Amino acid sequence: VRYLILSDIHANLEALDAVMTAAGQDGYDKIICLGDIVGYGADPNACVDRVRGIASSVIRGNHDRACAGLEDLEWFNPVAKAAVVWTTQTLTEVNRAWVEHLPRGPMAVNGFEIVHGSPADEDEYVCQVAEASQLTGYLDADVTFFGHTHLQGGFAYYRGGVQRIPPLSPDEQRRETVLDPGVRYLINPGSVGQPRDGDPRASWAVFVPEEHVVVYRRIPYDIAGAAGKIVDAGLPPILARRLEIGQ
Ligand code: ZN
């Protein structure tokens, strides 16, 4: 089975469509979504409609939770908060209710696990080796997929210590990583709709458990189109700029 792993779509329909087209050409059997379908971008309803129709397993992210009205917004910075308020007003009631009822991770999927932030806390950012090292006792499966940081790559838990898996370099479109037996992995497919690793291309991953392979992928998309919609919607213009620089 080939699992298409999507995370942090953030209401970016141009990125999601580009990823789905490219992933369709590569081939996949099931779609897994690690949360943050909405928040920041201008197409929350279209992105929810897409994901609801095609994903076999979905967990919520912190923006999904906030946009569904499940928390007060004191922890959000002013830009994120403005996007949450706009998204809450824009989501249809059917879509808002669907987002509200998304399950929280960790979720077990056929021998591997999915989380939004970390296996310990759905809101935790796992960016550094030191942070990843704290999570050794929380890894219930050989492979756990996480998002939230919008940084493609992840971490490999070797006996001698944790090693960082870097994102694709700007000239790579694809990298196949063969997973070592006896090593645990925390794998981040990167963000579909708002990459923050300095590479503005949409990111995703494909997991083939039978072959012990993770394929990291990256593809350009219509950034100008997505950025223009953000400005036209009256969302903070910095959210358009972020897409252009991948930060
Ligand atoms: Zn996110």
Side-chain angles (χ1 to χ4, degrees), residues 7-10 34-40 61-64 116 125 147-150 191 194 196:
S7 192
D8 297 281
I9 295 164
H10 282 292
L34 310 181
D36 278 3
I37 299 157
V38 299
Y40 294 135
N62 54 313
H63 285 260
D64 302 322
H116 183 66
Y125 290 92
H148 193 43
T149 62
H150 302 206
S191 169
Q194 196 202 68
R196 294 180 192 162

Side-chain angles (χ1 to χ4, degrees), residues 14-124:
E14 284 71 21
L16 180 58
D17 279 346
V19 167
M20 294 311 300
T21 300
Q25 287 159 3
D26 291 354
Y28 60 84
D29 302 301
K30 288 189 167 182
I31 299 175
I32 308 291
C33 178
L34 310 181
D36 278 3
I37 299 157
V38 299
Y40 294 135
D43 280 307
N45 285 306
C47 289
V48 167
D49 289 342
R50 292 273 202 295
V51 172
R52 185 178 44 207
I54 58 181
S56 58
S57 304
V58 189
I59 53 172
R60 72 183 187 185
N62 54 313
H63 285 260
D64 302 322
R65 206 173 66 215
C67 293
L70 289 176
E71 67 186 287
D72 72 60
L73 303 176
E74 61 178 320
W75 297 103
F76 281 75
N77 68 52
V79 167
K81 194 187 226 171
V84 168
V85 170
W86 181 90
T87 303
T88 306
Q89 290 165 352
T90 302
L91 279 173
T92 65
E93 181 49 30
V94 167
N95 285 343
R96 195 205 57 75
W98 183 80
V99 170
E100 179 182 354
H101 292 100
L102 286 174
R104 160 214 291 255
M107 178 187 279
V109 182
N110 202 18
F112 62 95
E113 290 233 330
I114 61 174
V115 303
H116 183 66
S118 97
D121 178 350
E122 64 180 337
D123 292 340
E124 182 182 4

Side-chain angles (χ1 to χ4, degrees), residues 219-239:
I219 197 170
Y221 72 95
D222 178 15
I223 293 176
K229 282 187 189 172
I230 285 172
V231 173
D232 291 347
L235 285 157
I238 193 171
L239 294 174

